[in-house]
Amino acid sequence: MKRHSIGKKFTKIKGLNKTDPNAIVPETPKLIEDFIQSLNSQGAVINKVKYAIFLTKNGLKYPGLIATEKIVPNDNLVILPRETLLTTRQAFESPLKPMFLEFPQFFSPKFMPSWQYHIILSFLLYEYQKGAESKWHLLINNFPKDIDYAVFWKSEDLELLQDKKMAKHAIQKNRYLITTFQTLQYITSKFPDLFKPEVVTLENIIWIYTSIVTRCFGGQGLKYVTMVPFCELFNHESADVCYDLQQNDGRTKYNYEFMTQKLVKDQKDDDELSIQSFDNSQGSEDEISDSEFTTGEYNDYQEFDFDEFHEMAIKNFTNNLNQMLEILTLQNQVQENMSQKMKVIQEFSIRMRKELNIKLNIQRDIFQLAIDCKSMLFQHLDFGDNFSIFFIGQIFNILDNSLKEYFEEQISSFKAREIFARMEQICSSYLDNWYAFNNVVKKSPIQQKVNTFSQKLGQRPIKVLPTVESILKQPVDRSANYYQNVWENENFKNLLMRTRDYFEKGSQVYFCYSQLSNRMMILKYGMALEYNKFNSSFLRVEYLKYLQTKEAQWIVHRFKLDKFKRFKLKFIKPPYELIIFCKLVYWDINIHSVDTIFKIQNLKLEIKALNLALEILVEENSKFTDKIEVLEKQLYDKSLGYHEYFALIYRLERLRIFSYNINLINIMIIVIDKIINRVPFEQAIEKTQFDFDYYLTNRYTLKRYFDELKCSLYESS
């Protein structure tokens, strides 16, 4: 079956792997040519690719690699001996080692997540001052001085993105990095025999650090941050090109069959790279926090306090019993056989206290059943996820109301136990479905029986920016080895740049750095891609207005949860989390089963949810002042600079991803509506007015949803 994925659609639109008629093949610059000759003398091989200049739509120039002849799957485009690579470990085992050992607060993984960058940055500064005497002078001299990324953009350039959250993140990151660089300046000043003061300038640090961040490799078998010469000339795209490590006996991770055959449909989603070059890549969108946590108290609900109830029940019972005994005693003082009567009264008192204790113990057992049900959710569910608060609110509401009815003797203990057992079953079913959704649909594996709630609270961002003093004042145990078990041997022979894609002669040859959204590309590389199949955009929904139970409102305030739910919109799949969120807005525990939340089982609930999802998306999309067709024309404006051009692409792709998701939801609504009106399934999923030129692609994207719908219809019939 021919594939019609969004990735293939975008590849066709962009003409990837096709000859680029606008490419310029000049004489290779002398610095690069000298570098290539040096690498060749060390055993490197560069095959079928050559330095070239490419143009953006508005004519901005940028360097890259062009295919000098047809490239076919399993071609080795670059072969680099291990000795030509620069790693963190090599930098550590250098004359700078005493400095690294002296300041583990800055260079050790025990203190700094970015420790490898600090080590390799220090080493490259050290080597830079040697000039041509350095083994690495050609690598360093080929670092471009005219590139940057959003962290170092001016505030007016960040405003071009029209994304306040990302601009804020970039500014905070800039402040953090400047503090980091000032710390390095301070440390190197303590080693005047190693560093010349005029070399360790802020300008040089930013230049080399930018080159490291935008050009380094990591993961995929490489154990450390690694500078890979020449390969930084491969520009990023969603191409099936990867790097591989060849062992001394010639073995590689990927065999011939894998490199020359695309994975079959059952094994891999076509919109995920066949070769996971993104493994262990640095950076994640989760680093960008736009959380706004709830503050204040919620006074319309008060949690039931059994200990207070227990104390009050005993107090009331004692007072009532004492009053009763006083009355009985007074009545029997004038009667004969008073001692015998008092004995009867005492026995009555003892019996009443025993009955009270039995009743209180039963009540405590009933109360504990409700607590156990709540504890199940606390221990295994993330209260801060994108939709579970609605379910939790309904569970807590029934538990609390049932407790109230029981303690007010409106229902029996048997009935209360029956209700709580049912709630426990519902919670267990929800957790099973929740785990399955995260693991299978969302593809965010969650280990069962882990206290994800406490983990969520522990992951709240720390917003205090460090200072040079706070970094270096961290206590250090001078008897400890902060680098123990850090280093592993790398025994491979060569690093290979390999392809599973075809490239025509004259086409630009790309390498997929990782599955990067445009948001991360701007932040890490200062650029963005048109029709980026891995792009995503965030939809923030202020959800408190949708909460219908006081218990849910109380939980949000009690645990200071985020004011917004944050849904990631993608090209490669419908917004499933948003749909579940919308289902739970209308879901009623007394009417619907748990399965209807995560599966298509109740078409009326499904279409109500889809209509709400559409309403939310359209409302958010209306807040953008840009229009797709206007931005598309502006891309050809020759007056735009690099920052303006890529900011424009960023905004354009954000609009495209919102538009695409709105169209998907519209298609789903039309199909469900037709099914409700008894239109046969195959006719119901035919082309709609919202498919435009993406009919086959949309059916591929919606395949999981429509397959589930078809299965549900079959089972119900």
Side-chain angles (χ1 to χ4, degrees):
M1 175 182 171
K2 187 177 179 181
R3 293 291 188 91
H4 299 282
S5 69
I6 196 74
K8 287 194 177 296
K9 181 71 173 180
F10 286 171
T11 295
K12 185 176 181 180
I13 291 172
K14 291 189 282 187
L16 294 182
N17 309 349
K18 302 294 183 182
T19 301
D20 185 347
N22 298 316
I24 304 168
V25 185
E27 185 176 341
T28 304
K30 188 175 186 309
L31 265 178
I32 296 177
E33 188 60 44
D34 290 346
F35 197 15
I36 292 172
Q37 289 180 10
S38 173
L39 292 171
N40 288 341
S41 68
Q42 298 175 69
V45 176
I46 297 169
N47 181 40
K48 296 187 178 182
V49 292
K50 179 180 174 58
Y51 176 88
I53 297 294
F54 299 91
L55 304 177
T56 61
K57 285 184 174 180
N58 70 334
L60 294 172
K61 296 180 179 180
Y62 64 95
L65 293 173
I66 196 167
T68 57
E69 56 184 282
K70 183 179 179 180
I71 293 172
V72 298
N74 200 42
D75 273 349
N76 290 330
L77 306 178
V78 181
I79 302 173
L80 291 170
R82 179 163 52 88
E83 294 73 24
T84 63
L85 312 181
L86 173 61
T87 69
T88 310
R89 185 171 187 182
Q90 289 170 273
F92 182 81
E93 299 293 346
S94 72
L96 301 184
K97 188 173 182 177
M99 183 179 78
F100 300 145
L101 295 174
E102 179 66 22
F103 289 94
Q105 311 99 307
F106 191 71
F107 297 110
S108 164
K110 305 293 183 184
F111 293 92
M112 279 285 177
S114 53
W115 65 284
Q116 292 199 66
Y117 289 98
H118 297 173
I119 286 177
I120 209 161
L121 170 61
S122 304
F123 178 77
L124 286 170
L125 282 166
Y126 172 73
E127 291 294 321
Y128 172 61
Q129 68 189 350
K130 292 182 181 180
E133 295 180 5
S134 169
K135 173 186 175 182
W136 306 102
H137 78 280
L138 287 171
L139 172 73
I140 297 168
N141 289 337
N142 273 285
F143 290 163
K145 291 195 174 183
D146 57 351
I147 66 165
D148 62 0
Y149 55 110
V151 170
F152 297 111
W153 284 14
K154 295 177 182 178
S155 58
E156 54 265 33
D157 289 342
L158 289 173
E159 289 175 5
L160 295 170
L161 298 168
Q162 296 182 13
D163 187 332
K164 291 181 180 179
K165 301 295 180 182
M166 190 164 76
K168 180 182 177 182
H169 175 80
I171 291 169
Q172 288 179 333
K173 184 72 172 176
N174 176 273
R175 291 171 182 166
Y176 172 82
L177 288 176
I178 295 302
T179 299
T180 301
F181 300 156
Q182 291 170 342
T183 305
L184 181 58
Q185 285 181 302
Y186 174 83
I187 292 172
T188 55
S189 71
K190 301 297 181 183
F191 296 85
D193 55 325
L194 294 175
F195 290 94
K196 300 172 185 176
E198 64 270 19
V199 171
V200 191
T201 64
L202 204 57
E203 182 182 0
N204 283 339
I205 293 175
I206 291 175
W207 163 52
I208 291 182
Y209 183 84
T210 299
S211 297
I212 294 170
V213 168
T214 57
R215 293 174 166 230
C216 72
F217 284 54
Q220 193 70 13
L222 294 173
K223 301 183 186 301
Y224 313 109
V225 170
T226 303
M227 303 303 294
V228 180
F230 184 80
C231 290
E232 67 266 14
L233 288 172
F234 285 98
N235 287 313
H236 170 68
E237 253 294 359
S238 301
D240 211 344
V241 175
C242 68
Y243 58 89
D244 197 357
L245 302 181
Q246 185 180 44
Q247 305 303 316
N248 290 317
D249 60 2
R251 287 183 299 109
T252 57
K253 180 176 180 179
Y254 306 118
N255 59 26
Y256 175 82
E257 287 74 19
F258 181 84
M259 295 302 297
T260 55
Q261 297 178 19
K262 290 291 181 183
L263 298 181
V264 298
K265 179 181 175 182
D266 291 340
Q267 293 177 309
K268 197 72 176 178
D269 190 319
D270 193 54
D271 278 322
E272 294 181 16
L273 287 182
S274 305
I275 300 171
Q276 297 185 356
S277 54
F278 52 88
D279 285 351
N280 303 318
S281 59
Q282 302 291 328
S284 164
E285 283 170 298
D286 293 332
E287 294 176 0
I288 308 171
S289 174
D290 55 9
S291 297
E292 295 179 31
F293 297 111
T294 306
T295 57
E297 302 297 326
Y298 184 76
N299 299 317
D300 291 345
Y301 169 81
Q302 188 170 1
E303 196 174 18
F304 181 76
D305 188 335
F306 181 80
D307 291 334
E308 182 181 326
F309 169 83
H310 182 270
E311 184 179 334
M312 186 60 66
I314 292 176
K315 184 178 179 180
N316 291 337
F317 171 82
T318 302
N319 289 337
N320 292 335
L321 183 62
N322 288 339
Q323 289 177 9
M324 188 186 310
L325 292 176
E326 286 179 11
I327 293 171
L328 291 173
T329 301
L330 289 173
Q331 290 176 348
N332 285 288
Q333 281 180 346
V334 296
Q335 298 178 10
E336 297 179 1
N337 303 321
M338 178 178 145
S339 60
Q340 186 175 353
K341 294 286 182 73
M342 289 302 296
K343 183 178 180 181
V344 171
I345 291 171
Q346 289 173 354
E347 289 175 352
F348 171 76
S349 173
I350 292 170
R351 186 172 68 254
M352 292 295 291
R353 289 183 184 278
K354 284 183 178 179
E355 289 177 358
L356 173 66
N357 287 332
I358 291 171
K359 183 177 181 180
L360 287 174
N361 285 335
I362 293 172
Q363 288 176 336
R364 183 179 291 279
D365 288 344
I366 297 297
F367 175 74
Q368 190 60 47
L369 289 174
I371 293 300
D372 289 345
C373 194
K374 291 182 179 182
S375 295
M376 177 193 296
L377 297 178
F378 270 105
Q379 291 171 7
H380 303 302
L381 191 62
D382 180 358
F383 279 36
D385 73 7
N386 270 340
F387 47 77
S388 291
I389 187 65
F390 293 92
F391 174 79
I392 295 163
Q394 291 204 40
I395 291 291
F396 278 38
N397 177 263
I398 287 183
L399 293 174
D400 288 359
N401 285 340
S402 299
L403 279 176
K404 183 172 181 288
E405 290 175 354
Y406 169 68
F407 284 117
E408 291 176 353
E409 298 185 351
Q410 296 179 30
I411 60 174
S412 65
S413 62
F414 176 81
K415 182 64 176 178
R417 291 177 190 275
E418 189 179 68
I419 292 171
F420 297 153
R422 176 173 168 261
M423 290 303 104
E424 186 175 349
Q425 289 176 349
I426 290 173
C427 288
S428 180
S429 175
Y430 183 89
L431 285 170
D432 288 342
N433 279 280
W434 185 73
Y435 287 125
F437 173 78
N438 280 283
N439 291 331
V440 178
V441 179
K442 194 179 173 186
K443 296 186 179 177
S444 300
I446 292 179
Q447 182 180 354
Q448 295 197 31
K449 299 181 180 179
V450 171
N451 192 334
T452 54
F453 179 70
S454 62
Q455 288 178 354
K456 186 76 174 183
L457 293 179
Q459 290 173 359
R460 290 187 175 179
I462 299 172
K463 296 185 178 180
V464 178
L465 288 171
T467 63
V468 175
E469 185 179 25
S470 67
I471 291 172
L472 297 181
K473 275 201 168 183
Q474 296 176 88
V476 173
D477 181 358
R478 291 298 170 186
S479 65
N481 180 359
Y482 288 106
Y483 300 94
Q484 188 174 8
N485 301 322
V486 169
W487 309 114
E488 298 179 60
N489 290 326
E490 290 186 307
N491 298 317
F492 64 90
K493 181 180 179 181
N494 295 313
L495 181 144
L496 313 177
M497 190 63 73
R498 309 177 71 188
T499 179
R500 299 180 78 222
D501 271 347
Y502 288 91
F503 291 90
E504 290 183 359
K505 180 180 179 180
S507 64
Q508 183 172 181
V509 183
Y510 298 98
F511 162 54
C512 187
Y513 300 168
S514 65
Q515 291 187 5
L516 293 170
S517 70
N518 281 348
R519 196 177 201 192
M520 284 311 299
M521 288 176 65
I522 287 283
L523 282 169
K524 193 172 180 183
Y525 301 106
M527 50 88 76
L529 287 178
E530 260 200 286
Y531 298 107
N532 176 11
K533 74 177 182 182
F534 296 123
N535 194 25
S536 60
S537 189
F538 288 98
L539 169 70
R540 299 170 83 237
V541 178
E542 196 167 1
Y543 64 97
L544 294 180
K545 63 183 178 182
Y546 296 110
L547 294 179
Q548 297 177 7
T549 64
K550 293 179 179 179
E551 289 81 1
Q553 293 274 2
W554 174 79
I555 290 167
V556 171
H557 288 80
R558 169 67 178 81
F559 297 104
K560 311 301 180 191
L561 300 182
D562 201 331
K563 292 180 182 178
F564 296 88
K565 294 305 180 186
R566 191 167 175 260
F567 300 97
K568 184 181 284 190
L569 305 179
K570 297 182 177 183
F571 281 117
I572 61 175
K573 64 175 69 172
Y576 287 119
E577 272 197 304
L578 176 62
I579 294 170
I580 290 178
F581 169 92
C582 293
K583 280 189 191 182
L584 278 162
V585 170
Y586 298 113
W587 186 78
D588 187 330
I589 195 170
N590 295 311
I591 299 173
H592 305 113
S593 70
V594 169
D595 284 348
T596 60
I597 300 172
F598 297 93
K599 299 171 184 176
I600 309 171
Q601 292 193 348
N602 186 310
L603 296 185
K604 291 183 179 179
L605 177 63
E606 195 76 23
I607 202 161
K608 286 177 71 176
L610 289 171
N611 277 303
L612 178 58
L614 179 63
E615 179 186 322
I616 292 170
L617 280 166
V618 169
E619 180 183 356
E620 189 65 22
N621 190 53
S622 68
K623 296 176 183 178
F624 299 124
T625 56
D626 291 324
K627 300 297 179 185
I628 290 177
E629 55 274 14
V630 174
L631 296 186
E632 287 176 338
K633 290 179 181 178
Q634 288 179 7
L635 285 179
Y636 294 91
D637 184 350
K638 294 187 180 298
S639 68
L640 298 179
Y642 291 96
H643 291 180
E644 294 168 303
Y645 182 81
F646 289 121
L648 197 65
I649 288 181
Y650 177 79
R651 284 153 43 202
L652 171 60
E653 289 306 304
R654 181 173 58 190
L655 289 176
R656 281 175 174 164
I657 208 164
F658 265 85
S659 176
Y660 188 69
N661 277 266
I662 287 171
N663 287 336
L664 289 180
I665 295 293
N666 270 311
I667 294 166
M668 295 157 85
I669 289 172
I670 289 172
V671 171
I672 296 292
D673 187 59
K674 286 181 178 179
I675 296 293
I676 290 174
N677 288 293
R678 301 187 179 278
V679 175
F681 176 79
E682 296 301 334
Q683 292 180 28
I685 64 170
E686 289 177 352
K687 188 173 182 178
T688 73
Q689 67 268 37
F690 297 102
D691 280 300
F692 303 102
D693 295 330
Y694 284 74
Y695 169 64
L696 293 175
T697 298
N698 290 338
R699 293 306 172 275
Y700 184 89
T701 304
L702 291 168
K703 185 177 186 308
R704 175 190 289 275
Y705 187 84
F706 286 160
D707 282 352
E708 185 180 324
L709 174 60
K710 186 176 183 179
C711 182
S712 175
L713 293 173
Y714 176 78
E715 290 176 354
S716 64
S717 65

